[in-house]
Amino acid sequence: MHSATTLAEPSRPSVADFHRVNRGGGLFSESVSQWLGAAFALVAQRLGLRPTALSMTNLVLGLATSLTVVVLAGPVAAGDAPAWVVGLVALVGWQVAYALDCADGQLARVTGQGNPAGARVDVLCDVAAQIALVAALAATAVAQHPSTPTWLVAVFAGTWMVNLVTSVMQAGPNAASMVTSTSLPVRLVKLVRDYGAVIFGAALVLLFAPALTLWVIVAFTVVNGGFLLASIAFSARASLR
């Protein structure tokens, strides 16, 4: 009877348990960021940390990384600072910050610590971190190409937030997707809107060819702007049915 009682003790959650409750995000996010987030969630659970602690760590790391890129944008453009150092900081810092963003939700769902206030903190930290990231990319583009139009930077900043807005909208009971296919070709195409893949690609540009940051801004302005218009048309059509 004693041994049976011992065997009945609840097991501790594993990395796989945390990853199992992830909210997706795209092929790259699910294959890399969510797994790294699950590892962070496991460590946090072992240390007795709450999800908000991970949200705040994501914010601090994201802001620190982007601030580093902003401060060094001018020196890199002038050749006074090595681009590879800044790119490496961005590559590691942004990815770890995003993994922590994935981890807070996983920890909340597995341990039952989720609450509306914590969810608001998570979203607000995401907004702040992404504003800083946009500022970092814009600062790099302007430093590399001083003639960059102000209106382009403004439109880029505005359309970048489309990803965040649509991800929040898709988390509710009225969520819908324009493309429901989960085939590999479709998921590969969707990488252009996978946040983990986007920040990975942006960091690689900072690492190897910061002068191309302007074209990164142009590309994602077109992609996110186009998605916004398509989403409006899709939702308007659905509302008229």
Side-chain angles (χ1 to χ4, degrees), residues 28 91 94-95 195-207 216 220:
F28 183 96
L91 182 65
W94 286 340
Q95 285 297 327
Y195 185 72
V198 167
I199 60 176
F200 179 75
L204 287 181
V205 171
L206 295 180
L207 179 62
V216 171
F220 283 102

mmCIF file of all heavy atoms in Angstrom, residues 28 91 94-95 195-207 216 220:
data_model
loop_
_atom_site.group_PDB
_atom_site.id
_atom_site.type_symbol
_atom_site.label_atom_id
_atom_site.label_comp_id
_atom_site.label_asym_id
_atom_site.label_seq_id
_atom_site.Cartn_x
_atom_site.Cartn_y
_atom_site.Cartn_z
ATOM 1 N N PHE A 28 8.533 28.666 -37.728
ATOM 2 C CA PHE A 28 9.769 28.939 -36.994
ATOM 3 C C PHE A 28 9.488 29.034 -35.497
ATOM 4 O O PHE A 28 10.209 28.445 -34.677
ATOM 5 C CB PHE A 28 10.401 30.242 -37.496
ATOM 6 C CG PHE A 28 11.715 30.573 -36.840
ATOM 7 C CD1 PHE A 28 12.910 30.234 -37.455
ATOM 8 C CD2 PHE A 28 11.760 31.222 -35.610
ATOM 9 C CE1 PHE A 28 14.133 30.542 -36.860
ATOM 10 C CE2 PHE A 28 12.965 31.526 -35.008
ATOM 11 C CZ PHE A 28 14.152 31.179 -35.627
ATOM 12 N N LEU A 91 20.654 39.293 -32.540
ATOM 13 C CA LEU A 91 20.236 37.914 -32.822
ATOM 14 C C LEU A 91 19.916 37.161 -31.540
ATOM 15 O O LEU A 91 18.852 36.528 -31.417
ATOM 16 C CB LEU A 91 21.350 37.196 -33.590
ATOM 17 C CG LEU A 91 21.062 35.747 -34.025
ATOM 18 C CD1 LEU A 91 19.922 35.718 -35.028
ATOM 19 C CD2 LEU A 91 22.316 35.121 -34.613
ATOM 20 N N TRP A 94 17.062 39.423 -29.078
ATOM 21 C CA TRP A 94 15.668 39.386 -29.536
ATOM 22 C C TRP A 94 15.082 37.988 -29.481
ATOM 23 O O TRP A 94 13.917 37.815 -29.117
ATOM 24 C CB TRP A 94 15.580 39.945 -30.965
ATOM 25 C CG TRP A 94 15.726 41.441 -31.026
ATOM 26 C CD1 TRP A 94 15.533 42.329 -30.001
ATOM 27 C CD2 TRP A 94 16.094 42.217 -32.165
ATOM 28 N NE1 TRP A 94 15.759 43.609 -30.429
ATOM 29 C CE2 TRP A 94 16.109 43.587 -31.746
ATOM 30 C CE3 TRP A 94 16.420 41.914 -33.488
ATOM 31 C CZ2 TRP A 94 16.428 44.623 -32.623
ATOM 32 C CZ3 TRP A 94 16.741 42.952 -34.357
ATOM 33 C CH2 TRP A 94 16.741 44.289 -33.925
ATOM 34 N N GLN A 95 15.874 36.966 -29.826
ATOM 35 C CA GLN A 95 15.351 35.609 -29.805
ATOM 36 C C GLN A 95 15.062 35.147 -28.379
ATOM 37 O O GLN A 95 14.035 34.509 -28.113
ATOM 38 C CB GLN A 95 16.323 34.648 -30.487
ATOM 39 C CG GLN A 95 16.337 34.739 -32.004
ATOM 40 C CD GLN A 95 15.005 34.376 -32.633
ATOM 41 O OE1 GLN A 95 14.263 33.527 -32.145
ATOM 42 N NE2 GLN A 95 14.690 35.023 -33.746
ATOM 43 N N TYR A 195 6.707 35.953 -36.296
ATOM 44 C CA TYR A 195 7.527 36.918 -35.562
ATOM 45 C C TYR A 195 8.924 36.371 -35.267
ATOM 46 O O TYR A 195 9.922 37.093 -35.388
ATOM 47 C CB TYR A 195 6.837 37.309 -34.256
ATOM 48 C CG TYR A 195 7.569 38.386 -33.497
ATOM 49 C CD1 TYR A 195 7.587 39.701 -33.950
ATOM 50 C CD2 TYR A 195 8.245 38.092 -32.302
ATOM 51 C CE1 TYR A 195 8.256 40.701 -33.253
ATOM 52 C CE2 TYR A 195 8.924 39.081 -31.605
ATOM 53 C CZ TYR A 195 8.930 40.382 -32.081
ATOM 54 O OH TYR A 195 9.603 41.358 -31.392
ATOM 55 N N GLY A 196 9.009 35.118 -34.879
ATOM 56 C CA GLY A 196 10.314 34.536 -34.603
ATOM 57 C C GLY A 196 11.211 34.543 -35.822
ATOM 58 O O GLY A 196 12.399 34.880 -35.740
ATOM 59 N N ALA A 197 10.651 34.198 -36.977
ATOM 60 C CA ALA A 197 11.424 34.185 -38.220
ATOM 61 C C ALA A 197 11.786 35.600 -38.645
ATOM 62 O O ALA A 197 12.900 35.846 -39.137
ATOM 63 C CB ALA A 197 10.629 33.485 -39.326
ATOM 64 N N VAL A 198 10.875 36.544 -38.460
ATOM 65 C CA VAL A 198 11.107 37.931 -38.874
ATOM 66 C C VAL A 198 12.269 38.550 -38.099
ATOM 67 O O VAL A 198 13.174 39.150 -38.680
ATOM 68 C CB VAL A 198 9.824 38.765 -38.694
ATOM 69 C CG1 VAL A 198 10.131 40.253 -38.808
ATOM 70 C CG2 VAL A 198 8.782 38.363 -39.735
ATOM 71 N N ILE A 199 12.265 38.398 -36.771
ATOM 72 C CA ILE A 199 13.336 39.003 -35.988
ATOM 73 C C ILE A 199 14.662 38.264 -36.193
ATOM 74 O O ILE A 199 15.731 38.864 -36.079
ATOM 75 C CB ILE A 199 12.982 39.089 -34.490
ATOM 76 C CG1 ILE A 199 12.721 37.703 -33.895
ATOM 77 C CG2 ILE A 199 11.790 40.012 -34.292
ATOM 78 C CD1 ILE A 199 12.465 37.732 -32.386
ATOM 79 N N PHE A 200 14.581 36.982 -36.535
ATOM 80 C CA PHE A 200 15.787 36.231 -36.854
ATOM 81 C C PHE A 200 16.401 36.776 -38.139
ATOM 82 O O PHE A 200 17.610 37.041 -38.211
ATOM 83 C CB PHE A 200 15.457 34.747 -37.013
ATOM 84 C CG PHE A 200 16.646 33.877 -37.360
ATOM 85 C CD1 PHE A 200 17.590 33.563 -36.394
ATOM 86 C CD2 PHE A 200 16.809 33.389 -38.649
ATOM 87 C CE1 PHE A 200 18.684 32.760 -36.715
ATOM 88 C CE2 PHE A 200 17.895 32.594 -38.976
ATOM 89 C CZ PHE A 200 18.845 32.274 -38.000
ATOM 90 N N GLY A 201 15.567 36.970 -39.157
ATOM 91 C CA GLY A 201 16.046 37.511 -40.422
ATOM 92 C C GLY A 201 16.567 38.928 -40.283
ATOM 93 O O GLY A 201 17.610 39.277 -40.849
ATOM 94 N N ALA A 202 15.855 39.758 -39.504
ATOM 95 C CA ALA A 202 16.288 41.145 -39.306
ATOM 96 C C ALA A 202 17.643 41.194 -38.613
ATOM 97 O O ALA A 202 18.514 42.001 -38.966
ATOM 98 C CB ALA A 202 15.246 41.897 -38.484
ATOM 99 N N ALA A 203 17.849 40.328 -37.629
ATOM 100 C CA ALA A 203 19.123 40.295 -36.918
ATOM 101 C C ALA A 203 20.252 39.830 -37.829
ATOM 102 O O ALA A 203 21.382 40.331 -37.738
ATOM 103 C CB ALA A 203 19.018 39.393 -35.689
ATOM 104 N N LEU A 204 19.955 38.893 -38.723
ATOM 105 C CA LEU A 204 20.979 38.432 -39.671
ATOM 106 C C LEU A 204 21.411 39.576 -40.593
ATOM 107 O O LEU A 204 22.591 39.701 -40.941
ATOM 108 C CB LEU A 204 20.456 37.260 -40.497
ATOM 109 C CG LEU A 204 20.319 35.920 -39.769
ATOM 110 C CD1 LEU A 204 19.820 34.851 -40.729
ATOM 111 C CD2 LEU A 204 21.652 35.484 -39.151
ATOM 112 N N VAL A 205 20.461 40.410 -40.992
ATOM 113 C CA VAL A 205 20.793 41.569 -41.826
ATOM 114 C C VAL A 205 21.705 42.519 -41.049
ATOM 115 O O VAL A 205 22.695 43.026 -41.582
ATOM 116 C CB VAL A 205 19.511 42.296 -42.291
ATOM 117 C CG1 VAL A 205 19.866 43.623 -42.960
ATOM 118 C CG2 VAL A 205 18.729 41.416 -43.262
ATOM 119 N N LEU A 206 21.375 42.773 -39.785
ATOM 120 C CA LEU A 206 22.221 43.632 -38.960
ATOM 121 C C LEU A 206 23.613 43.030 -38.794
ATOM 122 O O LEU A 206 24.612 43.758 -38.715
ATOM 123 C CB LEU A 206 21.595 43.842 -37.586
ATOM 124 C CG LEU A 206 20.258 44.593 -37.526
ATOM 125 C CD1 LEU A 206 19.799 44.703 -36.076
ATOM 126 C CD2 LEU A 206 20.373 45.968 -38.149
ATOM 127 N N LEU A 207 23.671 41.717 -38.759
ATOM 128 C CA LEU A 207 24.942 41.013 -38.548
ATOM 129 C C LEU A 207 25.844 41.050 -39.778
ATOM 130 O O LEU A 207 27.049 41.317 -39.678
ATOM 131 C CB LEU A 207 24.649 39.558 -38.151
ATOM 132 C CG LEU A 207 25.839 38.622 -37.891
ATOM 133 C CD1 LEU A 207 26.674 39.118 -36.721
ATOM 134 C CD2 LEU A 207 25.331 37.209 -37.623
ATOM 135 N N VAL A 216 14.754 45.894 -45.715
ATOM 136 C CA VAL A 216 13.955 45.105 -44.768
ATOM 137 C C VAL A 216 12.722 45.897 -44.365
ATOM 138 O O VAL A 216 11.602 45.379 -44.321
ATOM 139 C CB VAL A 216 14.792 44.750 -43.513
ATOM 140 C CG1 VAL A 216 13.907 44.131 -42.427
ATOM 141 C CG2 VAL A 216 15.925 43.805 -43.870
ATOM 142 N N PHE A 220 8.828 44.669 -45.251
ATOM 143 C CA PHE A 220 7.821 44.382 -44.242
ATOM 144 C C PHE A 220 6.721 45.424 -44.192
ATOM 145 O O PHE A 220 5.613 45.128 -43.749
ATOM 146 C CB PHE A 220 8.486 44.175 -42.883
ATOM 147 C CG PHE A 220 9.133 42.825 -42.782
ATOM 148 C CD1 PHE A 220 10.498 42.693 -42.913
ATOM 149 C CD2 PHE A 220 8.371 41.683 -42.635
ATOM 150 C CE1 PHE A 220 11.100 41.444 -42.873
ATOM 151 C CE2 PHE A 220 8.953 40.431 -42.591
ATOM 152 C CZ PHE A 220 10.320 40.308 -42.712
#
